[in-house]
Amino acid sequence: MRAESVASFDVAIVGGGPAGSTAASLLRKYNPELRVIVLEKEVFPRDHIGESQLPSISSVLHEMGAWEKVEAAGFPIKIGASYTWGRTNDRWEFDFYPVEEFVDEPRPARYEGQRRLTAFQVDRAIYDEILLKHAESMGAEARQGTRVARVHTEGDRIAGLELEGGERIEARYYIDASGTVGLLRRALGVEAKVTDDLKNIAIWDYWQNAEWAVEIGVGATRVQVRSLPYGWIWFIPLGPTRTSIGLVTPAEHYKKMGMTPEELYLKAIEDQPEVKKLVANAERENKTQSCKDWSQLSDRIVGANWFVVGEAAGFADPILAAGMSLAHTSARDAAYTILELDRAEHDAKWLKDRYNERNRANIQQHIRFGQYWYSANSCFTDLREHCQKIAQEAGLKLAPQQAWQWLSQGGFTIEDPALAAFGSFDIFSAKRILRQFDTEDRSCAPAADGANVFKLNLMNAKKSFIGRLEGGRIERVECYERVGKRLPMAGYFSLLVELLKKTNDAHSLVQEIHGRFMFASPEERNVGVQRCMQALDIMIQDGWVLKSVKKGRPVLRLDLDQSRNMRTAEEVDEVVKRGTKGTVKSNI
């Protein structure tokens, strides 16, 4: 029976968090005629974890037109993260942007230069409200405090949403941005597979006036991730006075401890000397909260007239800080796909299959990396049996080269077909992490290292298409495909194919690559050359390039240890002592 009051829209979005706001904003930006409604059960502002971002979010915020609004809120700039993780308790730093190059600049700043390569650390109570209001300013209707009481379905279609007051919302498309609740997904009977070995719980609270571990320039810092024998702590400054501090530990181990969440949380603060020092003069807000923090992946995330985005689609362990990136990018992808379905210029099945494959693979890749991070962390002295179980259940052998082969089964170039990327990391940083976590085995060195002949190998490859998102359009990018591997004819990959058709000599190839970036700035030139080398790495691994050594010619030498993205704390301290372009102050 139909409800008495029916409101019709083009797109109905359940959930007003970052994923829902992103989808709404981009739909309205690229087609202002669309009638878009966002239904949010909570009333903002409200706290929420998921506060540490990655640089990929900044580009989405910029495209939405919201970056300046977020920057104006004065959230700390995240240039990277500091870890104690791996073989020892030694600190190592992973920076998106080299600390020695970061320049002090007034805020609010523009989205340009160094700020394109950094991220935010956000207070979600403020951040989520900014984005939802931005979606409203773009013309979307947003209703807070509005709960969906029933989802009406007809086979694989959603027929309407019945609200608590009896009103019925009908739309041509529906987006499930309801978080781990997965309201629409569950109503459709779509299951989410939980990764049994990553069933963790998170316990957290907020603190006032904690010291920042490091102060870089104007408002920049690093997130702190600190291993404990029974889990790990996050330390995320959210503003000048407020800091989010949380503990993640396996759910099974938590039960064995026999402590309340608050008791275990306070024990973790006391057990971690650096965090204990940073909160010595701080006050806890006494809002201790906990939740299950289980990695999961939906069986499918698109259907007849619906899309699943953000945590409703899947969740990867927070150790990689990828949750918000997955939320923003999947929501962007869903919006682009709806726009293209309306244009009817691409095959609808190709569009939906592409969305499902791309975003599920992205989540899966992060889950696998999370499994590796836990299983390889020898600092978890109380969790050795648990970590061994993770490795066993994942079928994971921990020698770096074997781990790399296992991790890369999900494929590369998932986020952007023009770039060589592995989840949240560039290829060389990911490989160096494997070495950091395991042995001194150098078998995870760059694939091109030590060779001097590189031959393009397109034998038995067929041509197909993948999608690239830009300017509200999904561009069909030609690619070569062979035994499940794809080589996109875009960005650095197409450049290398062009150059390898001219020469197979390493020396000549490197000269050609440098020539292409001759007129770029020094920083852009370094980035361009490095990304070409990383694209070559993937092409060798996937068999698109065959490498060999010819006597009498110089060989290519690539050293992961030269990376400025990932360094030991001692290396970073030495760099800072030699001088930086901005001010750097350490409190640990």
Side-chain angles (χ1 to χ4, degrees), residues 306-374:
W306 52 269
F307 294 82
V308 187
V309 301
E311 290 185 7
F315 177 74
D317 192 273
I319 186 60
L320 299 178
M324 289 281 281
S325 289
L326 294 171
H328 279 284
T329 56
S330 63
R332 175 178 182 252
D333 202 336
Y336 269 65
T337 305
I338 289 171
L339 292 164
E340 290 293 2
L341 286 169
D342 273 358
R343 294 186 186 107
E345 296 175 8
H346 298 315
D347 178 69
K349 184 178 184 303
W350 176 79
L351 286 168
K352 290 182 178 181
D353 287 349
R354 187 208 64 82
Y355 175 82
N356 188 66
E357 176 188 344
R358 178 185 189 236
N359 289 284
R360 288 187 76 255
N362 208 353
I363 298 166
Q364 181 65 64
Q365 202 171 67
H366 282 90
I367 289 174
R368 284 197 171 208
F369 215 173
Q371 288 173 307
Y372 183 80
W373 277 58
Y374 280 88

Side-chain angles (χ1 to χ4, degrees), residues 450-502:
N452 57 19
V453 176
F454 303 103
K455 183 180 179 181
L456 190 64
N457 174 31
L458 302 178
M459 186 178 296
N460 298 324
K462 64 179 183 179
K463 289 188 177 181
S464 61
F465 294 92
I466 56 177
R468 184 178 184 184
L469 282 59
E470 190 170 355
R473 303 301 302 260
I474 298 179
E475 175 191 359
R476 277 165 59 97
V477 175
E478 190 177 78
C479 69
Y480 290 98
E481 187 170 353
R482 182 176 59 207
V483 292
K485 306 291 186 181
R486 290 174 177 169
L487 176 63
M489 289 297 93
Y492 298 97
F493 295 100
S494 60
L495 172 59
L496 280 171
V497 169
E498 175 193 339
L499 298 181
L500 287 166
K501 286 180 177 179
K502 292 175 59 177

Side-chain angles (χ1 to χ4, degrees), residues 251-295:
E252 185 178 341
H253 188 76
Y254 161 70
K255 292 178 183 177
K256 290 180 180 178
M257 295 285 284
M259 304 172 72
T260 67
E262 185 172 30
E263 286 171 344
L264 182 56
Y265 176 77
L266 293 176
K267 170 179 168 56
I269 299 295
E270 183 69 23
D271 287 348
Q272 214 299 310
E274 291 179 18
V275 172
K276 180 181 179 181
K277 177 183 176 183
L278 294 172
V279 300
N281 299 313
E283 294 181 4
R284 186 161 62 98
E285 292 184 8
N286 292 313
K287 298 178 180 178
T288 306
Q289 301 174 64
S290 62
C291 70
K292 65 180 184 180
D293 215 6
W294 295 359
S295 293

Side-chain angles (χ1 to χ4, degrees), residues 125-143:
I126 301 170
Y127 180 77
D128 289 15
E129 188 169 32
I130 290 173
L131 294 192
L132 190 56
K133 286 183 177 178
H134 178 73
E136 287 185 291
S137 74
M138 297 293 289
E141 180 180 339
R143 299 190 193 177

Side-chain angles (χ1 to χ4, degrees), residues 109-128:
R110 296 177 180 272
Y111 180 68
E112 60 187 22
Q114 62 187 17
R115 296 305 302 279
R116 288 179 176 269
L117 300 174
T118 60
F120 291 106
Q121 296 165 200
V122 298
D123 188 325
R124 290 286 298 275
I126 301 170
Y127 180 77
D128 289 15

